[in-house]
Amino acid sequence: MNIRSVTLAYVVPPLLAFVLGFIGLVQVSEAGLVGASSVVTAAAGADTASNQRVAKSLEQVAETEGTTIVRVVADRAAPSTLRHALVTGAPSSLGAGWLSDGYGDFTRSMSTTVLPMSDLDHFDPVGSYAVFGDDAARHAVLDALSGLGYDVSSERVPFLRRIGVSDGFSGTSGLVGALTLGCVTLCLMGTLGAPRRSAVRRLHGQSAASIVVSELAEVRGTLLAAVVGTPVVAFGLFLYNGLASAATFATAVVVIGTAFLAPVIAAHTIGTVLACRQPLATALRGARPVGALVLVAQVARAPALLLLVTAVFDLSGAVATLRSGTAERDLRAAGETVQLWVTPDPRPIDSQQYWDRIGAFAGRALQQRDALLAATVEVSSGQGKSTVPALFVDAGYLGLQDVRTEDGSRITADDADISVWIPADSRLDRRRLVAALADWQLREAPAAAREQITGGRLARQQVYSYPDDSSTRSWLADAVIVVVPRPADVFSADQLGSWLSTGDVVFKNRAVAERSIMTSDVRREFSAVVAVGQVAAEQARLAATMTMIATATVVSTLIVSVMLGLLGTVAHRRRHGRALFAKLASGTSAVRADAGLLLVETALVSIAAVATVNSWWGARPDGTGHSSVLDPVAQSAGTAGALALLAIAAVSAVNGAVLAATARNTLRDRGNGAR
């Protein structure tokens, strides 16, 4: 039994809805508790009330409004996997149920411990409060916190973001675009490209409206896919999370499926109406699709190829991030070291005094050898606009990491001199590089220290960068090493504070970090103490997820691109088959006979190639700071460009084979392509 192309187009939406609904709700669950209708943010005012008064006031609001208020706080020991939810316990509210039975996380990558709001005494009250209620509840929370001396603001959480639809489409636009384009084209080819089906119904006296209604019965393909897929997905969710937030997930799937189904139904309807408008005799013969359809089939290939280029760049970047360091190797290099997470907004992060306090704390930790410096920076090479990666380190770093010179001796920071070490095979002009460093990155150092910079050349090796996120490579083989024995004397408090916030000032272990925090005057400015190894493992997990999504996008766009090329060629053959037969029979070469299609193919390949070059030009490290040489994604731009060109060539080669095969078939059938 032959399956109509229209039927295939209707099967895709529910399958895609299940996937995007899951991806979106996972992201919502990782960011907070699922279902919050609004968020109220409290910033410290001039005269704020105690934590206990805040907790009591919020409990009163919850009871009065019949709502639930939640303050989510990351666990300092494992902020990316553990969190505490301080909830109000108004009778018959969501919070009361969570306090009794616990909260079921949709994602297995996050575990939530539910605590009563009265435990706010042990946490910072400044931050965001999720409100599970109506607009009146949001205003009541605003008034309560404002009355306690806090500067407050709020925002409503849109319904689509609340159920994960917005997050589901974020990062998967290429996949959605490619599949939507493919489904729309399938609908047009199955209706306007095969008008005989509608013509037969017209012969039986059906009107155009009744034919459209009959055609839309193909929506049963969607219903069938949903009926078959729902129990399978439900069983999978039961094994994954015990059906946590199942109702929200079902709502998201219905919304996404409906949104994806809309263009399919629209294309199916338009194609059917246009097929009904064709002359009956022509439609019954069915050999010559309308010229507009042939044009649409070819034009549709352009966005498909552009989506393919984007997908290849995304996949290459995801793989580069994943391969920038293996989790096992990173964990071994990181050891027991930890990084501090500076509390984000609503702190006064625009205040210079704020960062000076953070920087003074970092400087003391470095002086006392409680912390080490491992700051990756893109610096000027001293030659034009070119830049090179540099790693600024101190004695603490060199005590943990074995960095060697070209003669095999280990680099230390025993004396007070700053030293600059050039990579083994680098052609950098050391004198110009040192001058550029002295003029900018080391400008705060004493003049005598800038004039006595020593150093040499490194052995061939990779050095660990203690990365805080995926924007910096874990292992650097081409970095200049700048040894600064006393960072607190060389860099400003503002610079050290900035480096602490980006994870470039690393504490030796958790106990040392906690002790330093508790004995300082900035203990409330840090939300988490994070193991560097934990960050590496989390980066690997996220990179693996993005790699899977990018791989699915590349595969789908490749399939859609090839399919559109096949449909476009078949449509052209069915319209111009007899003309092609006449040319080939008269001795015209195949290249000249297919000059029109070959010209279209050349134009499409040229457009995709230009897009590839443009993407490579925008992603490559260019010394302007837009794309850093430290970023593995930027480093992979050249590889991504080559792979994109290879993918374009592969699609073009397949279409060339289709051209040759259909030309032979046309010659054999004497141009009679009617069905």
Side-chain angles (χ1 to χ4, degrees):
M1 182 181 70
N2 292 328
I3 299 177
R4 290 184 67 197
S5 60
V6 172
T7 303
L8 294 177
Y10 277 101
V11 171
V12 174
L15 302 181
L16 185 63
F18 284 129
V19 174
L20 296 187
F22 180 81
I23 292 174
L25 206 54
V26 163
Q27 294 183 60
V28 172
S29 181
E30 289 177 344
L33 271 58
V34 175
S37 57
S38 59
V39 176
V40 176
T41 303
D47 186 18
T48 57
S50 66
N51 291 19
Q52 195 59 39
R53 284 187 60 193
V54 172
K56 289 182 178 179
S57 180
L58 293 177
E59 288 284 5
Q60 291 175 357
V61 170
E63 290 185 11
T64 303
E65 299 295 333
T67 188
T68 297
I69 305 167
V70 181
R71 170 87 169 100
V72 177
V73 182
D75 189 292
R76 179 173 281 187
S80 59
T81 56
L82 301 175
R83 62 188 175 193
H84 304 289
L86 307 172
V87 305
T88 56
S92 302
S93 67
L94 289 172
W98 293 337
L99 286 170
S100 174
D101 305 325
Y103 174 80
D105 289 286
F106 183 82
T107 173
R108 293 170 62 178
S109 64
M110 183 64 69
S111 179
T112 303
T113 302
V114 180
L115 302 172
M117 187 62 75
S118 57
D119 283 5
L120 190 63
D121 271 348
H122 307 296
F123 300 93
D124 188 356
V126 173
S128 299
Y129 293 82
V131 180
F132 294 76
D134 55 19
D135 212 39
R138 178 173 66 91
H139 286 293
V141 175
L142 280 170
D143 293 339
L145 293 174
S146 178
L148 294 172
Y150 289 91
D151 296 329
V152 294
S153 60
S154 70
E155 68 168 336
R156 297 174 182 171
V157 180
F159 175 71
L160 294 182
R161 195 172 78 191
R162 196 185 314 168
I163 63 176
V165 172
S166 300
D167 291 319
F169 281 99
S170 176
T172 59
S173 57
L175 176 63
V176 173
L179 293 178
T180 302
L181 182 62
C183 289
V184 167
T185 306
L186 284 174
C187 287
L188 293 176
M189 293 300 297
T191 52
L192 187 57
R196 181 181 295 172
R197 184 183 183 92
S198 298
V200 171
R201 288 176 173 172
R202 288 162 62 193
L203 280 176
H204 287 80
Q206 286 187 258
S207 65
S210 64
I211 293 174
V212 169
V213 172
S214 299
E215 278 289 312
L216 291 182
E218 292 292 344
V219 77
R220 64 179 178 269
T222 296
L223 298 178
L224 178 62
V227 168
V228 174
T230 297
V232 175
V233 172
F235 181 70
L237 283 180
F238 175 76
L239 297 178
Y240 179 73
N241 59 19
L243 294 178
S245 303
T248 304
F249 173 71
T251 304
V253 169
V254 171
V255 171
I256 295 173
T258 302
F260 193 35
L261 195 59
V264 176
I265 292 177
H268 191 186
T269 302
I270 293 172
T272 303
V273 170
L274 293 177
C276 290
R277 295 176 62 87
Q278 290 192 40
L280 195 57
T282 303
L284 285 172
R285 187 171 68 247
R288 287 175 58 83
V290 295
L293 179 62
V294 177
L295 178 62
V296 168
Q298 293 294 343
V299 170
R301 296 183 58 202
L305 287 173
L306 295 179
L307 287 172
L308 176 60
V309 171
T310 302
V312 171
F313 271 86
D314 290 343
L315 176 59
S316 180
V319 171
T321 301
L322 186 61
R323 296 181 61 186
S324 62
T326 63
E328 181 181 353
R329 184 187 183 193
D330 286 357
L331 287 170
R332 189 165 56 249
E336 297 181 344
T337 56
V338 295
Q339 295 163 325
L340 306 188
W341 283 7
V342 178
T343 302
D345 291 343
R347 297 298 184 187
I349 58 175
D350 294 331
S351 167
Q352 185 62 49
Q353 183 180 6
Y354 174 84
W355 288 112
D356 286 346
R357 290 173 60 217
I358 299 294
F361 167 79
R364 288 193 299 271
L366 290 169
Q367 284 181 327
Q368 296 168 6
R369 299 294 178 90
D370 290 338
L372 59 94
L373 179 66
T376 50
V377 183
E378 186 174 1
V379 303
S380 171
S381 66
Q383 298 175 318
K385 294 183 178 181
S386 65
T387 58
V388 294
L391 181 64
F392 288 77
V393 303
D394 65 348
Y397 177 94
L398 296 174
L400 294 177
Q401 302 295 331
D402 187 0
V403 184
R404 301 276 175 171
T405 65
E406 62 179 347
D407 62 4
S409 59
R410 183 168 181 173
I411 298 177
T412 62
D414 295 334
D415 54 25
D417 290 341
I418 299 172
S419 59
V420 176
W421 301 87
I422 308 297
D425 300 320
S426 174
R427 296 181 179 180
L428 289 171
D429 185 322
R430 188 177 180 283
R431 181 181 58 81
R432 292 184 178 182
L433 173 65
V434 170
L437 289 169
D439 289 343
W440 189 244
Q441 279 79 17
L442 302 175
R443 63 187 182 280
E444 302 285 346
R450 285 185 283 130
E451 293 173 357
Q452 299 176 3
I453 296 177
T454 61
R457 190 169 289 273
L458 295 167
R460 291 185 179 87
Q461 61 191 318
Q462 289 184 325
V463 292
Y464 188 56
S465 66
Y466 291 92
D468 69 313
D469 58 33
S470 60
S471 64
T472 302
R473 286 175 284 158
S474 300
W475 296 91
L476 306 172
D478 57 348
V480 173
I481 304 296
V482 183
V483 180
V484 183
R486 298 173 183 172
D489 298 335
V490 173
F491 302 109
S492 65
D494 178 71
Q495 179 64 76
L496 292 176
S498 175
W499 278 342
L500 180 67
S501 70
T502 55
D504 295 318
V505 174
V506 182
F507 282 78
K508 292 185 175 180
N509 56 59
R510 184 177 301 279
V512 170
E514 294 283 4
R515 185 183 67 241
S516 298
I517 292 172
M518 296 308 297
T519 57
S520 72
D521 60 346
V522 291
R523 64 176 67 92
R524 284 189 139 187
E525 310 304 339
F526 304 106
S527 60
V529 177
V530 187
V532 175
Q534 176 188 333
V535 174
E538 180 67 12
Q539 287 175 10
R541 185 184 68 81
L542 293 176
T545 301
M546 293 307 299
T547 300
M548 288 189 292
I549 293 175
T551 300
T553 304
V554 169
V555 172
S556 64
T557 48
L558 271 172
I559 293 173
V560 170
S561 297
V562 171
M563 181 197 71
L564 290 176
L566 174 62
L567 293 176
T569 302
V570 170
H572 188 274
R573 294 292 189 237
R574 291 178 61 190
R575 180 168 178 82
H576 302 289
R578 291 187 178 90
L580 177 64
F581 170 73
K583 291 179 181 178
L584 294 176
S586 65
T588 304
S589 67
V591 173
R592 290 188 60 186
D594 266 334
L597 284 179
L598 292 174
L599 181 61
V600 169
E601 188 70 23
T602 302
L604 290 172
V605 170
S606 299
I607 291 172
V610 169
T612 300
V613 173
N614 183 65
S615 297
W616 166 77
W617 188 264
R620 68 185 178 89
D622 55 1
T624 63
H626 175 68
S627 298
S628 173
V629 295
L630 297 167
D631 190 347
V633 176
Q635 287 288 319
S636 70
T639 302
L643 290 175
L645 292 176
L646 183 61
I648 295 168
V651 172
S652 183
V654 171
N655 200 54
V658 170
L659 282 176
T662 54
R664 288 195 300 269
N665 291 338
T666 300
L667 184 61
R668 185 179 63 249
D669 297 337
R670 297 177 180 272
N672 294 317
R675 293 201 300 266

